[in-house]
């Protein structure tokens, strides 16, 4: 490996010697040459720089005694005689051949490249720190270069940051900048390479990984909502609010990571008059630096304007608790009272509508009715209690019907209201955003594409509720949990124990289901089109919904299928190459239970689909097609062996009735014979169901021959032997097949398991004295 790496670097060296550009993908930085150096001012800053595709000039000094070759230049004049701290950080190569960046950081005096005087320099470290004893009014030239990696060519290059300053004054908790008790204001500081963390402060279990933090404190002049943000700074920040007087014993109240696309922060605090709050800001990572401006403002106690109501509503939405969400909803409603068509007010009224669905008595009743006792969407979801052994525990009487009723009676009407508001925010010019606190997930830009897809989501939820209204989905949660705890819960048990599951409820919502699906498709198509055609970058993940480049083909297929499915509610349409007619589902009076196959555990039993066309929804559907689709996902219980077949059909029979030779249903066919012909072993079978015989005239000689037709398993090789035997005397039987021939080809019966075959006995009745024919089946499995 070492030889390979050396050769690779040697080849790059040869290319460079021949004048071939190693990078060549970007323009050199504007300050590549000494004459074009960038001017820096002040006593504290963090500036971005790069040596990507930079070069070395004639007469340029060897910086820090290290061979480089890709330098960029800055100039800075000391405002006062003092000691200044400089740092070079965040060395980030962007080309794969710059495996390691070797930083070179040097400072000079002089105004001519050939006669510069070195002052201070350094390299290799991250950060690379320089201490400059500066004289007031003296101009210093600053060079950043990339050295050779262990002496190999080419020189390295990277993006980076240059820092000047000292630890900010509010670096430590004890030195938090005091904002007093003003009702609003702002205060500037900086996160730089010299910023530190303190042992014992939050998220700092030891001194070596303490985050770089800066602090402010503020005493609330009165009880009110207050907005706090870092939106006018440059750094990617995390903003947190604490109470307490000891840095090792603080209580976290609120936190924000991403309130805009740059990762800056905003949060709302319900401040109590006279209480002192500590605002802490750190970088999202240890490598996030930059200027920070902390701004705060108390909200009007009595909002008057539409802007007042919106500001209060969004502030309350961030706080996530029930009372705040109710306040947010009321604030957005007050804004709409001033302008019913205001797009942003309508959008946020829809968002508060979503959030409010998980509040109130109806929601609490639904949760307790299905056994949920510990619930908080914002803290990680819903849980059931567990006993000391880890088993879930729910009270008797818990039933999914409580959740279903909540969806029907509360969610469904609310979705209609939510959509009405989203409709007024769906114009092509609409743009807003959700902070990570408002969305409970992440910062997201919102445009018309997102609004249309949210509308589609509400229609899909509506469609699901329509199915629940039509078909009974009530199950005992207590019984299901008990079965789960004893590891006996599966689809078969659930179906068997709940005799009304998926039967009709008396309310037919199939037409409403159709309307919801078609409306969802219309909204989805509109949202997809907007994202693809109107956004500068459809793959931009800062939006709530985006279209990744590697998903373009799949999304196009999804659009086509969604359109076809929607159209199929009006008649037969081809979906993914298959004929589909969902209009049959809308007009059907059959329950979903009637359409379900037999179950063995969690899998469907092959050949037990009562109607593979699903009452005409799949006009060309067959048992075999349904079986193939389930088999692909491991959801098919194959019955190719007697054991698998008996597991399903004979599991409830006494042990004596489960053997191959037993006759569980008393129809004079053994269980194995019923398996061979794919018959139901617990339901009497007539001979005509599995085998028939007849005399048929042969077209060539005009003679009548005996034909025997029977059903056999399609997959039988190595499992079952089917032999048509012929005898003259019922004592000796010819099994060689010389006295019979197959007529035509086997014909699938349509159950996906068996095929019909016909054999002709070659002896001619009336010419041959006597022939006897029988079908012998035997198990080839050990």
């Amino acid at each position: 490996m070492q030889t390979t790496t050396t050769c690779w670097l040697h080849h790059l060296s040869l290319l460079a010697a021949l004048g071939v550009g190693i990078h060549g993908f970007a323009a050199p930085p504007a300050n590549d040459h000494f004459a074009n150096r960038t001017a820096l001012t002040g006593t504290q800053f963090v500036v971005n720089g790069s040596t990507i595709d930079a070069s070395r000039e004639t007469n340029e000094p060897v910086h820090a005694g290290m061979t480089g070759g890709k330098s960029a230049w800055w100039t800075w004049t000391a405002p006062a005689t003092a000691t200044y701290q400089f740092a070079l950080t965040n060395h980030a190569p962007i080309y794969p051949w710059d495996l390691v960046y070797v930083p070179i950081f040097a400072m000079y005096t002089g105004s001519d490249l050939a006669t510069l005087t070195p002052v201070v320099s350094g390299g290799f470290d991250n950060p690379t720190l320089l201490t400059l004893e500066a004289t007031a009014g003296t101009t210093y030239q600053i060079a950043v270069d990339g050295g050779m990696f262990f002496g190999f060519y080419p020189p390295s290059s990277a993006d980076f940051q240059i820092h000047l300053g000292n630890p900010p004054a509010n670096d430590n908790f004890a030195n938090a900048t005091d904002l007093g008790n003003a009702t609003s204001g702002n205060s500037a500081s900086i996160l730089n390479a010299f910023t530190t963390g303190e042992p014992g402060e939050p998220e700092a279990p030891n001194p070596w990984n303490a985050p770089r933090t800066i602090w402010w404190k503020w005493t609330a002049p009165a009880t009110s909502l207050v907005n706090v943000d870092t939106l006018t700074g440059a750094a990617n920040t995390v903003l947190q609010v604490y109470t307490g007087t000891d840095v090792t014993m603080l209580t976290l109240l609120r936190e924000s990571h991403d309130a805009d696309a740059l990762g800056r922060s905003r949060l709302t605090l319900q401040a109590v008059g006279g209480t002192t709050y500590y605002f802490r800001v750190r970088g999202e990572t240890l490598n996030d630096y930059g200027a920070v401006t902390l701004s705060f403002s108390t909200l009007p106690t009595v909002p008057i304007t539409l802007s007042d109501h919106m500001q209060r509503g969004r502030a309350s939405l961030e706080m996530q608790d029930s009372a705040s969400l109710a306040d947010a909803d009321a604030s957005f409603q007050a804004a709409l009272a001033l302008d019913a068509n205001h797009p942003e007010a309508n959008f946020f009224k829809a968002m508060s509508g979503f959030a409010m669905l998980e509040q109130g008595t109806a929601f609490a009743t639904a949760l307790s009715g299905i056994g949920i006792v510990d619930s908080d969407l914002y803290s990680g979801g819903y849980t059931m209690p567990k006993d000391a052994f880890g088993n879930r525990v729910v009270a008797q009487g818990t039933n999914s019907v409580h959740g279903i009723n909540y969806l029907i009676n509360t969610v469904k009407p609310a979705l209609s209201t939510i959509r009405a508001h989203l409709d007024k925010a769906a114009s092509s010019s609409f743009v807003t955003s959700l902070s990570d606190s408002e969305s409970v997930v992440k910062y997201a830009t919102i445009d018309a594409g997102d609004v249309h897809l949210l509308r589609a989501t509400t229609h899909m939820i509506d469609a699901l509720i329509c199915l629940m209204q039509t078909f009974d989905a009530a199950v005992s949660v207590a019984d299901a949990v008990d079965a789960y705890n004893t590891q006996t819960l599966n689809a078969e048990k659930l179906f068997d124990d709940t005799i009304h599951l998926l039967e009709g409820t008396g309310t037919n919502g199939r037409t409403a289901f159709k309307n919801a699906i078609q409306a969802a498709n219309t909204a989805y198509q509109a949202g997809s089109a907007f994202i693809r055609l109107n956004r500068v970058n459809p793959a931009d993940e800062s939006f709530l919904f985006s279209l990744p480049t590697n998903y373009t083909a799949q999304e196009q297929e999804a659009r086509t299928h969604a359109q076809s499915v929607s159209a199929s509610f009006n008649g037969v349409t081809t979906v993914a190459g298959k004929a589909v007619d969902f209009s049959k589902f809308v007009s059907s009076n059959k329950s979903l239970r009637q359409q379900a196959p037999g179950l063995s555990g969690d899998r469907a039993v092959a050949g037990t689909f009562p109607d593979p066309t699903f009452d005409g929804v799949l006009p060309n559907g067959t048992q075999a097609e349904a079986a193939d689709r389930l088999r692909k996902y491991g959801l098919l219980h194959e019955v190719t062996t007697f054991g698998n077949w008996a597991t399903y059909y004979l599991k409830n029979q006494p042990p004596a009735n489960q053997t191959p030779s037993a006759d569980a249903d008393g129809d004079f066919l053994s269980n194995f014979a019923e398996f061979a012909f794919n018959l139901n072993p617990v339901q009497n079978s007539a001979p005509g169901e599995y085998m028939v015989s007849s005399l048929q005239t042969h077209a060539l000689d005009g003679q009548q021959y005996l034909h025997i037709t029977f059903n056999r398993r399609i997959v039988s090789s190595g499992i079952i032997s089917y032999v048509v035997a012929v005898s003259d005397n019922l004592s000796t039987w010819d099994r060689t097949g010389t006295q019979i021939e197959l007529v035509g080809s086997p014909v699938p019966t349509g159950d996906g398991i068996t095929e019909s075959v016909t054999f002709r006995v070659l002896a001619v009745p009336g010419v041959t004295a006597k022939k006897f024919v029988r079908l012998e089946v035997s198990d080839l499995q050990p």
Side-chain angles (χ1 to χ4, degrees):
M1 180 62 72
Q2 183 176 1
T3 302
T4 303
T5 304
T6 303
C7 290
W8 178 72
L9 290 168
H10 176 65
H11 290 318
L12 292 178
S13 177
L14 290 176
L15 288 172
L18 292 172
V20 178
I22 298 299
H23 293 125
F25 295 113
N31 58 340
D32 181 23
H33 292 163
F34 180 81
N36 298 325
R37 55 197 183 278
T38 299
L40 302 175
T41 59
T43 59
Q44 186 164 275
F45 55 69
V46 178
V47 296
N48 295 322
S50 177
T51 55
I52 301 297
D53 287 308
S55 62
R56 177 179 175 81
E57 298 177 77
T58 303
N59 295 325
E60 183 171 337
V62 176
H63 309 296
M66 299 168 60
T67 303
K70 290 184 175 296
S71 62
W73 291 88
W74 289 260
T75 184
W76 173 77
T77 300
T81 298
T83 300
Y84 295 90
Q85 299 289 327
F86 286 82
L88 186 69
T89 67
N90 285 8
H91 318 137
I94 65 170
Y95 293 127
W97 39 79
D98 285 329
L99 300 176
V100 177
Y101 180 64
V102 182
I104 304 173
F105 195 18
M107 302 184 71
Y108 303 87
T109 56
S111 57
D112 183 82
L113 186 63
T115 60
L116 294 177
T117 300
V119 177
V120 63
S121 64
F124 276 105
D125 298 324
N126 187 4
T128 300
L129 301 175
L130 299 181
T131 300
L132 175 67
E133 301 293 342
T135 301
T138 300
T139 298
Y140 297 88
Q141 318 303 343
I142 303 170
V144 177
D145 202 341
M148 295 182 183
F149 181 47
F150 293 111
F152 294 125
Y153 201 88
S156 55
S157 60
D159 294 322
F160 48 81
Q161 290 175 319
I162 299 174
H163 302 241
L164 168 62
N166 294 295
N170 58 341
D171 186 25
N172 293 332
F173 175 83
N175 298 323
T177 298
D178 192 349
L179 301 172
N181 62 352
T183 58
S184 64
N186 58 72
S187 175
S189 187
I190 193 167
L191 289 168
N192 60 23
F194 314 104
T195 310
T196 63
E198 297 174 75
E201 76 172 279
E203 301 165 338
N206 60 60
W208 296 277
N209 65 356
R212 294 185 175 92
T213 58
I214 49 181
W215 294 86
W216 289 262
K217 66 179 179 179
W218 173 72
T219 301
T223 298
S224 64
L225 288 174
V226 57
N227 278 341
V228 188
D229 69 66
T230 62
L231 297 178
T232 55
N236 179 358
T237 59
V238 177
L239 171 62
Q240 296 160 311
V241 182
Y242 296 92
T243 55
T245 57
D246 187 318
V247 72
T248 65
M249 300 178 64
L250 298 176
T251 300
L252 177 65
L253 301 181
R254 300 281 288 113
E255 180 174 4
S256 171
H257 287 250
D258 300 308
D260 68 3
L262 298 179
R264 297 175 296 191
S265 310
R266 182 188 71 225
L267 58 79
T268 300
L269 172 69
Q270 178 60 66
V272 177
T275 302
T276 297
Y277 299 92
Y278 284 86
F279 304 137
R280 186 179 80 159
V281 174
R282 64 174 174 84
E284 184 71 48
T285 72
L286 286 176
N287 293 322
D288 284 316
Y289 301 103
V292 175
T293 298
L294 184 86
S295 300
F296 67 99
S297 60
T298 55
L299 276 61
T301 304
V302 180
I304 299 173
T305 67
L306 188 147
S307 177
D308 290 343
H309 290 297
M310 287 298 297
Q311 188 179 31
R312 183 179 183 88
R314 295 191 64 170
S316 298
L317 187 61
E318 287 184 8
M319 300 185 63
Q320 304 172 358
D321 59 84
S322 297
S324 296
L325 290 176
D327 185 72
D329 193 65
S331 295
F332 298 135
Q333 185 60 52
L336 290 173
L338 298 175
D339 182 355
N341 295 313
H342 192 272
E344 191 171 47
N346 274 285
F347 174 79
F348 278 97
K349 183 65 168 69
M351 293 302 98
S352 65
F354 274 123
M356 291 291 290
L357 286 174
E358 300 202 3
Q359 309 296 324
T361 303
F363 183 63
T365 300
L367 288 182
S368 62
I370 59 176
I372 301 293
V373 297
D374 185 11
S375 59
D376 185 352
L377 170 69
Y378 304 105
S379 298
Y382 308 110
T383 59
M384 289 182 178
K386 295 182 179 180
D387 62 19
F389 303 101
N391 293 321
R392 300 190 184 281
V393 179
V394 296
Q396 290 299 317
T398 53
N399 195 292
S400 64
V401 72
H402 298 290
I404 294 169
N405 287 341
Y406 170 72
L407 292 173
I408 294 172
N409 300 325
T410 302
V411 175
K412 187 176 174 62
L415 290 177
S416 178
T417 301
I418 289 170
R419 276 195 301 272
H421 291 297
L422 289 175
D423 288 345
K424 294 183 178 181
S427 68
S428 59
S429 60
F430 175 70
V431 178
T432 189
S433 64
L434 288 168
S435 70
D436 57 337
S437 297
E438 290 170 333
S439 72
V440 202
V441 181
K442 64 168 189 172
Y443 166 80
T445 304
I446 308 294
D447 66 6
D450 298 305
V451 174
H452 285 304
L453 292 182
L454 285 172
R455 291 172 62 246
T457 301
T458 67
H459 285 299
M460 288 303 297
I461 296 173
D462 212 355
L464 176 63
I465 296 174
C466 289
L467 288 181
M468 292 181 175
Q469 285 181 294
T470 305
F471 305 107
D472 191 345
V475 294
S476 168
V477 177
D479 292 347
V481 167
D482 286 343
Y484 174 84
N485 289 336
T486 58
Q487 299 184 354
T488 59
L489 179 64
N490 56 45
E492 179 185 14
K493 176 177 176 57
L494 194 63
F495 214 60
D496 290 346
D497 291 353
T498 313
I499 60 174
H500 297 296
L501 185 65
L502 303 186
E503 294 286 9
T505 63
T507 299
N508 189 347
R510 293 184 222 212
T511 298
F513 173 77
K514 164 192 170 179
N515 294 337
I517 291 293
Q518 291 186 326
N521 173 64
T522 299
Y524 166 58
Q525 299 291 346
S528 172
F530 188 93
I531 291 171
R532 288 180 290 105
L533 304 177
N534 291 69
R535 285 188 189 166
V536 174
N537 177 15
D540 186 348
E541 294 184 356
S542 69
F543 285 90
L544 187 62
F545 298 103
S546 61
L547 178 57
T549 303
N550 62 352
Y551 191 67
T552 302
Q554 295 93 320
E555 202 273 339
Q556 180 177 351
E557 183 179 20
R559 280 186 281 118
T560 300
H561 288 177
Q563 186 64 40
S564 298
V565 168
S566 179
S568 74
F569 280 94
N570 299 324
V572 181
T573 307
T574 300
V575 180
K578 303 294 182 182
V580 177
D581 186 0
F582 273 114
S583 67
K584 295 294 186 182
F585 170 77
V586 175
S587 61
S588 174
N589 59 4
K590 288 187 178 179
S591 70
L592 292 180
R593 192 181 185 97
Q594 289 175 288
Q595 306 286 352
L599 296 170
S600 178
D602 288 322
R603 294 182 292 176
V605 177
T608 62
F609 293 87
D611 178 3
T613 73
F614 293 93
D615 205 23
V617 171
L618 302 174
N620 301 321
T622 65
Q623 293 271 6
E625 184 179 39
D628 285 344
R629 185 171 293 274
L630 290 169
R631 186 181 293 114
K632 181 187 300 184
Y633 298 102
L635 298 175
L636 186 69
H637 178 72
E638 304 279 12
V639 289
T640 52
T641 65
F642 177 81
N644 284 345
W645 178 83
T647 297
Y648 174 68
Y649 284 102
L650 299 171
K651 62 189 172 185
N652 296 322
Q653 291 290 313
N657 281 359
Q658 296 183 27
T659 64
S661 60
D663 180 9
D665 55 6
D667 60 0
F668 302 104
L669 278 178
S670 70
N671 288 337
F672 183 78
E674 305 243 26
F675 164 67
F677 297 125
N678 194 36
L679 301 172
N680 190 330
V682 293
Q683 179 178 314
N684 287 340
S685 303
E689 290 184 55
Y690 54 91
M691 184 165 55
V692 295
S693 60
S694 62
L695 289 173
Q696 296 185 30
T697 302
H698 196 289
L700 295 179
D701 60 14
Q703 298 292 325
Q704 286 190 319
Y705 292 84
L706 177 64
H707 288 66
I708 180 172
T709 300
F710 63 92
N711 295 339
R712 69 183 183 190
R713 288 184 170 269
I714 297 172
V715 182
S716 59
S717 177
I719 300 173
I720 307 174
S721 171
Y722 296 86
V723 175
V724 179
V726 181
S727 175
D728 294 328
N729 53 22
L730 294 179
S731 297
T732 59
W733 292 87
D734 180 4
R735 299 179 178 84
T736 65
T738 57
Q739 298 190 53
I740 60 170
E741 67 177 1
L742 179 66
V743 178
S745 300
V747 179
T749 61
D751 62 8
I753 296 176
T754 60
E755 61 188 5
S756 175
V757 292
T758 299
F759 288 89
R760 177 170 49 235
V761 181
L762 296 179
V764 180
V767 176
T768 302
K770 189 182 296 183
K771 289 291 182 183
F772 301 95
V773 182
R774 72 182 184 187
L775 176 63
E776 300 173 349
V777 293
S778 56
D779 190 356
L780 299 181
Q781 296 291 303

